[in-house]
Amino acid sequence: MSFRTTRPLHPVLLDDVRGAQKMLSGVARTTALEGSRHLSALVGAPVHLKCENLQRTGSFKLRGAYVRISGLRPEERAAGVVAASAGNHAQGVALASSLLGVRSTVFMPVGAPLPKVAATREYGAEVRLRGQVVDETLAAAQAYARDTGAVFIHPFDHPDVIAGQGTVGLEILEQCPQVRTIVVGMGGGGLAAGIGVAVKALRPDVRVVGVQARAAAAYPGSLAAGRPVAVDCGPTMADGIMVGRPGDVPFGLVQDVVDEVRTVSEDALSAALLLCLERAKLVVEPAGASPVAALLADPEAFDGPVVAVLSGGNIDPLVLQRTLRHGMAAAGRYLSLRLRLPDRPGALANLLGVLTSVDANVLDVGHVRTDPRLGLTEVEVELHLETKGPEHCAEVAAALREAGHTVLP
C-alpha cells in the first residue's frame, strides 16, 4: 500500500513518532526482541517476539499515555486528567501522570480484577469504581471530565497517543532491520496505526498485519464499509482488544498502513498463551498473545522474518488459570473419558493401574451408581486426565480397551 504524507489525510506522521521516541527516552523501556525457535520452525522463517509485556506497567499503553499528557498545556495539566479502563490503559495513565506531576482519576468497572485496581492506585491514580461494563465506566469518566474540567485521555483515539504507540515500530526496525512482516493485536487500532505509520514511512515493503479476536472484530466490517462501524462484542478472553467500534483517528490510518486484518478463535488465543508460557517463558495476556495465535492458525501466511508484538502481560491469576486449562484442552493435553466397571472391590484400582502404566495423570475421578441405564452391579466412572498430547490420548484409550474396558461415547 502507498503511504501518503499529507497531514489532512494523516494526523500522525513519521516526525511525530520520532518526536515521541525522544520524549519517551528514559521513561519507556526499549523492550527486548526475543527469538522463538518453536514458532520459527512452524513458520519456516525466523520469528521474533517484541516483549511489550515487559514494558513498565506491563503493556505498551504507557507510551501513548505519556506522550498525550506531556502535550497538555499548563492550564490543562492543572485541571488533571481522567481515564476509563479495565486495566492496561488505567495503569499507563496513572504512571504517566505521576511521572509528569499531574493529578489523575481513573474510572474502572466494579468487577475489575483486584490486582489491576491495586496496581493503578499504586501508580498514583485515584481509582473510582463505576459501572458493570466498560461503556458505563466510560460514560462516568466523560461526565467527570465535563463536571470538573479534567482532560479525558482516550486509550487510542488521539494523534498523540498513536504517535507514542508508534515508537514500538521504530524499535522493531532498529532491532530487526531485515523484518518482512509485523503482526500486532488490534482493538481500537491505536497500536497498529502507530506501528504502521512508522514502519511504512521507512520500510514500505514490510507487511503489517492486524489481529482481532473473532468474537470482537470491528475492523473487518468497518474496512469493508469504508468507515468505523460498531459491532456487538461477544464474550472473549482477549478483553484488552475487545472494542466494539474502531477509533476515528486510527481507522483512517489503518486503512492506509495496515495491509491485512485477521481474526482468531478463542482456542487459538488460549493455545498461544500456553505456548508463550511454556516455550518462551513469558507471561502474556490473551490480547497480547493474539499475534502468536494468528501464526499458529495459519503459519504459512507470513513471510519472514516475522515480528509478533506481545502487547501486554497484565492477566489476573484466576483468568490465567482458566485460560491455561482451556489452552491445554485445545492442545489435546486433557482427556475426559467415561467407562463402566463392575461394582466390586479392586475394579477402580485395576483401572488406575492401567492409567499408571501409560503415564496418564489422573486429575479427577467421578462415580455414578444411580443412573437407570446401569446394571445392578455396574458403576459408571468419569475420568479427567492430563496427557502429553493427542498421540498420548490415543495411546491411553487403546490401553484401556486392551485391558477390557469399554469407553463410552
Side-chain angles (χ1 to χ4, degrees), residues 68-82 101-103 148-153 158 160:
R68 172 75 173 101
I69 298 170
S70 293
L72 297 179
R73 299 187 302 272
E75 61 271 23
E76 291 176 317
R77 292 192 183 200
V81 300
V82 60
V102 177
R103 184 178 70 258
T148 65
V151 179
F152 180 70
I153 306 299
H158 193 280
D160 290 348

Side-chain angles (χ1 to χ4, degrees), residues 13 15 59 64 80 83 108 124 140-141 204 209 213 224 238 240-241 263 324 326 377 379 386-387 392:
L13 303 176
D15 285 347
S59 87
M108 304 182 76
V209 179
I241 52 175
T263 63
L324 288 177
H326 186 86
T377 60
V379 60
E386 181 182 359
T387 69
H392 191 207

Side-chain angles (χ1 to χ4, degrees), residues 58 67 84 116 126 142-143 152 157 161 228 233 265 292 314 366 392 396:
V67 174
K116 294 185 178 181
E126 176 190 346
Q142 291 172 329
F152 180 70
D157 205 8
V161 172
C233 293
S265 68
V292 175
N314 292 317
H392 191 207
V396 171

